[in-house]
Amino acid sequence: DAEITQSPRHKITETGRQVTLACHQTWNHNNMFWYRQDLGHGLRLIHYSYGVHDTNKGEVSDGYSVSRSNTEDLPLTLESAASSQTSVYFCASSENVGQEQFFGPGTRLTVL
Amino acid sequence: RKEVEQDPGPFNVPEGATVAFNCTYSNSASQSFFWYRQDCRKEPKLLMSVYSSGNEDGRFTAQLNRASQYISLLIRDSKLSDSATYLCVVINDYKLSFGAGTTVTVRA
């Protein structure tokens, strides 16, 4: 069965370190998204991609970057982790833009 | 003003009860609407789309009121398994905006 996976599921890191969160989907979807979810907020879009080599900034992109070298993967990099980036991160993919998105299980990141 | 706003709840209801809640959105040009369900510490999953004429899926009924810019979700005959957070999703220019969620707890 097609699926979307994230790794690691939990990560503790220190302020200033570079961190990369992996997202891998086997749906063969062109569209992939990264969100963060914090208490009291809805999911907020960090970055998204509509295909290989395409990346776009979302509403909370500062301090994050992504790259899309193939259809299956969209890794999210925190260049220099900050305590404000402690959050739960969800990756998602969709077949068509603006339609149902399928989410990965999430990565819980703690920055100390 | 947030693009999508929801009453966070929690709505605590007994099994078998009916519970309903709304979600308001700020952009009158919004094109599509969804309800997602999120269980504690899990990923969101699509519950149902919301159509202009309203739609049902089993015990769940979704409605759209464009004039007042809100969508609603009604759950009939609540089950313990309906306990979750329900996220409202609004689409503008192909981008999804999520509400912060309404928490429903169904008690035995």
Side-chain angles (χ1 to χ4, degrees):
Chain A
D1 284 346
E3 60 177 359
I4 180 166
T5 57
Q6 293 182 234
S7 62
R9 296 294 312 279
H10 301 271
K11 174 82 176 174
I12 299 174
T13 191
E14 294 177 343
T15 301
R17 289 191 180 265
Q18 184 180 77
V19 176
T20 296
L21 309 183
C23 174
H24 179 82
Q25 52 98 4
T26 58
W27 294 96
N28 200 35
H29 288 163
N30 282 326
N31 311 306
M32 296 184 72
F33 309 84
W34 273 104
Y35 295 91
R36 61 178 288 174
Q37 187 175 37
D38 304 287
L39 199 62
H41 292 275
L43 285 107
R44 291 183 290 174
L45 184 64
I46 304 171
H47 281 285
Y48 60 100
S49 168
Y50 289 152
V52 177
H53 303 310
D54 175 73
T55 61
N56 306 279
K57 294 182 178 180
E59 63 177 298
V60 291
S61 61
D62 287 349
Y64 303 94
S65 64
V66 293
S67 61
R68 187 90 180 270
S69 58
N70 57 54
T71 301
E72 297 79 17
D73 299 290
L74 187 70
L76 177 72
T77 298
L78 287 69
E79 304 294 344
S80 176
S83 58
S84 59
Q85 294 176 308
T86 292
S87 187
V88 179
Y89 291 85
F90 287 102
C91 178
S93 72
S94 71
E95 182 174 8
N96 295 308
V97 175
Q99 294 189 1
E100 178 184 4
Q101 293 184 3
F102 297 88
F103 285 82
T107 294
R108 189 170 294 272
L109 177 68
T110 302
V111 182
L112 301 176
Chain B
R1 183 183 172 187
K2 289 183 179 178
E3 279 195 65
V4 183
E5 297 203 63
Q6 296 184 247
D7 180 346
F11 288 75
N12 294 306
V13 299
E15 266 187 299
T18 296
V19 59
F21 41 89
N22 295 337
C23 160
T24 59
Y25 59 95
S26 60
N27 188 338
S28 60
S30 299
Q31 297 112 2
S32 305
F33 309 87
F34 299 102
W35 283 105
Y36 275 68
R37 171 194 169 124
Q38 186 173 27
D39 294 303
C40 187
R41 294 176 176 264
K42 297 283 187 71
E43 71 273 24
K45 292 183 180 178
L46 180 67
L47 177 67
M48 60 195 300
S49 303
V50 184
Y51 301 126
S52 297
S53 55
N55 49 296
E56 279 189 19
D57 184 358
R59 297 179 293 105
F60 297 83
T61 300
Q63 295 207 311
L64 167 64
N65 185 316
R66 283 197 182 272
S68 301
Q69 293 182 213
Y70 73 88
I71 65 172
S72 64
L73 183 66
L74 182 145
I75 307 172
R76 283 188 302 278
D77 188 24
S78 299
K79 311 291 185 192
L80 294 175
S81 58
D82 294 333
S83 296
T85 297
Y86 293 86
L87 307 178
C88 168
V89 179
V90 176
I91 297 180
N92 296 300
D93 293 330
Y94 305 110
K95 296 212 176 66
L96 276 65
S97 295
F98 288 80
T102 296
T103 297
V104 173
T105 302
V106 182
R107 61 182 189 276

